Amino acid sequence: MKTKLSFALLFLALMAVLPAQSQRRAKGVVSQAVEKPVVVNNVIFMIGDGMGLAQAHALQLATGEMPAMFKAPVIGLISTDSYTHKITDSGAGGTALATGYKTRNGMIGMGPDSTAVPSLLDIFARDGRRTGVAVTCDVTHATPADFVAKNISRKNEQEIAADFVKSPVDVVIGGGLYNFTRRKDGRNLVSEMKDNGFAFFESLPKSGKGFNKLLVLTDTAHPAPAAKRTNYTLAEATRVAIEALDSRNDKGFFLMVEGSQIDWAGHNNDSTYLINEMIDFDKAVGVAVAFAEKNPGTLVVVTADHETGGLTLIHGQNKRNKGVKFHFSSDDHSGVIVPVYAFGAGASQFSGVYDNTDIFKKILKVAALDPK
Ligand code: MG
Ligand code: ZN
């Protein structure tokens, strides 16, 4: 008893003479441990389909300006391989980003055993948050489909369109009207979605404010490439989608924005097409980041499902002219890791080198959502 007491006294005496600095350090450790977690209400998830580092750098070289995405305070890199292939397609690549599952190439929102799995959009909606997709392809194309639909094949676009009626999605902007209205089963999905409360437009409304449910199908099939697209820019679509989601926002929202045709430019080995698509996509990133700056609690994550074209930047014809040539080494996807640019609340979670399926986990973690 006496020994214990003397030890206690000795301890107290030591505490009293501890240098102030180590006490401060000790306090710092404590305050870090109890630091309030970042609250992420809104997530704007932006996918440049086929956008590798070289595509982003090519944008900078072609415009002579710092791309909006390059202003990200946090940068990461992700691997993009699928369950079946070292080189993914957009179906499996988007499924990994949307659901956290690696799956078979060509699949939409399903695990490799063909079981439907919830996407980020489903999980945010289940939590009572609003959800949307805004793209520059058919809305039933692989990437948006990965967030909204479940199908064994990306080719079943009419079945995928029918999933939009069942989905909790609130805002849909893109092309692909005919998959909704000229159908083998005779259904008119636009009428069905109107019955479910959607306002429907064939051109982008000036503002999204006040819309609870908004369906905008601007083209019968895919919208035109950015250089020829006169009906909307991805930046405008992003603004309208955010306005619609945010104006009735109580718990927050999840919006997926896709620069869909960066991939097609890569397949075509067309650098002019590529730069125009990158400009269109990066302006949309600018809109999202500006919103995040004004609205604390908003996370913006910009990444890709895979790289397309094996793009590299090499010497022009003449080494002495110091020019650079955009050189495509493939007309297909490549397996190279792709960049992640993160802004706003929770962004610090996205640094490092990790797997495409980790994006799903990280977004749920910062948004305090359970995947189950
Ligand atoms: Mg896509
Ligand atoms: Zn592709």
Side-chain angles (χ1 to χ4, degrees):
M1 180 72 190
K2 198 181 170 192
T3 326
K4 266 189 192 165
L5 186 65
S6 9
F7 268 120
L9 283 172
L10 180 65
F11 178 72
L12 283 173
L14 272 172
M15 282 300 286
V17 296
L18 265 178
Q21 200 190 356
S22 28
Q23 285 191 26
R24 267 204 302 274
R25 205 183 298 135
K27 261 190 205 159
V29 169
V30 172
S31 68
Q32 242 174 34
V34 296
E35 192 185 359
K36 255 176 49 182
V38 187
V39 180
V40 174
N41 306 310
N42 310 318
V43 174
I44 306 172
F45 189 21
M46 313 195 69
I47 301 175
D49 195 314
M51 182 188 74
L53 269 176
Q55 281 78 357
H57 191 191
L59 169 67
Q60 185 183 26
L61 291 172
T63 61
E65 283 166 30
M66 180 84 143
M69 62 184 84
F70 280 11
K71 294 168 190 161
V74 177
I75 314 281
L77 293 165
I78 53 168
S79 49
T80 66
D81 51 297
S82 75
Y83 181 79
T84 46
H85 293 71
K86 284 279 174 246
I87 296 177
T88 190
D89 82 310
S90 294
T95 296
L97 296 172
T99 73
Y101 279 84
K102 284 203 186 286
T103 195
R104 296 169 193 278
N105 278 14
M107 276 191 171
I108 299 295
M110 285 182 168
D113 60 353
S114 310
T115 310
V117 285
S119 70
L120 287 168
L121 190 148
D122 297 323
I123 296 165
F124 274 72
R126 200 167 58 199
D127 188 53
R129 303 198 208 188
R130 289 169 55 68
T131 60
V133 294
V135 299
T136 53
C137 59
D138 283 3
V139 297
T140 51
H141 204 250
T143 313
D146 284 323
F147 288 81
V148 176
K150 323 285 171 198
N151 206 288
I152 199 145
S153 170
R154 59 184 290 174
K155 290 181 187 150
N156 298 330
E157 288 202 48
Q158 296 221 332
E159 289 176 17
I160 288 166
D163 277 2
F164 277 71
V165 182
K166 289 193 283 183
S167 165
V169 69
D170 300 303
V171 174
V172 177
I173 303 174
L177 175 66
Y178 280 178
N179 284 320
F180 288 72
T181 56
R182 294 198 180 181
R183 296 175 52 82
K184 291 185 194 116
D185 62 8
R187 285 170 70 183
N188 184 324
L189 303 183
V190 168
S191 303
E192 292 182 29
M193 287 179 77
K194 279 182 175 172
D195 290 344
N196 292 347
F198 277 85
F200 170 69
F201 297 92
E202 286 184 56
S203 58
L204 190 70
K206 287 234 166 356
S207 165
K209 282 188 185 126
F211 288 111
N212 182 27
K213 297 205 164 253
L214 178 62
L215 174 64
V216 183
L217 298 173
T218 57
D219 294 80
T220 54
H222 290 305
K228 293 180 198 150
R229 198 183 325 122
T230 51
N231 46 4
Y232 72 104
T233 65
L234 190 59
E236 287 164 350
T238 302
R239 175 180 54 76
V240 168
I242 292 172
E243 284 166 352
L245 294 170
D246 187 52
S247 59
R248 294 191 176 218
N249 182 12
D250 30 25
K251 289 192 79 175
F253 64 80
F254 175 85
L255 171 64
M256 193 286 288
V257 176
E258 185 198 20
S260 315
Q261 302 192 28
I262 297 165
D263 175 64
W264 305 348
H267 283 290
N268 290 1
N269 286 190
D270 184 334
S271 51
T272 306
Y273 186 6
L274 173 72
I275 297 303
N276 286 324
E277 294 307 315
M278 284 298 300
I279 291 171
D280 190 49
F281 181 61
D282 194 60
K283 283 187 175 159
V285 172
V287 168
V289 171
F291 177 83
E293 280 168 357
K294 286 196 207 113
N295 294 271
T298 304
L299 166 71
V300 180
V301 177
V302 184
T303 190
D305 49 355
H306 54 74
E307 195 274 348
T308 305
L311 180 65
T312 184
L313 308 176
I314 60 170
H315 277 299
Q317 294 288 62
N318 181 349
K319 277 191 187 183
R320 274 173 301 179
N321 74 6
K322 296 178 187 163
V324 73
K325 191 174 142 196
F326 302 152
H327 175 77
F328 294 93
S329 62
S330 161
D331 62 0
D332 207 339
H333 303 172
S334 79
V336 72
I337 51 176
V338 295
V340 179
Y341 307 98
F343 302 79
S348 63
Q349 295 293 315
F350 292 84
S351 71
V353 183
Y354 47 100
D355 191 55
N356 56 0
T357 53
D358 292 326
I359 296 258
F360 170 87
K361 294 169 202 157
K362 287 173 189 289
I363 288 178
L364 289 186
K365 185 183 167 199
V366 298
L369 291 171
D370 190 339
K372 290 285 169 302

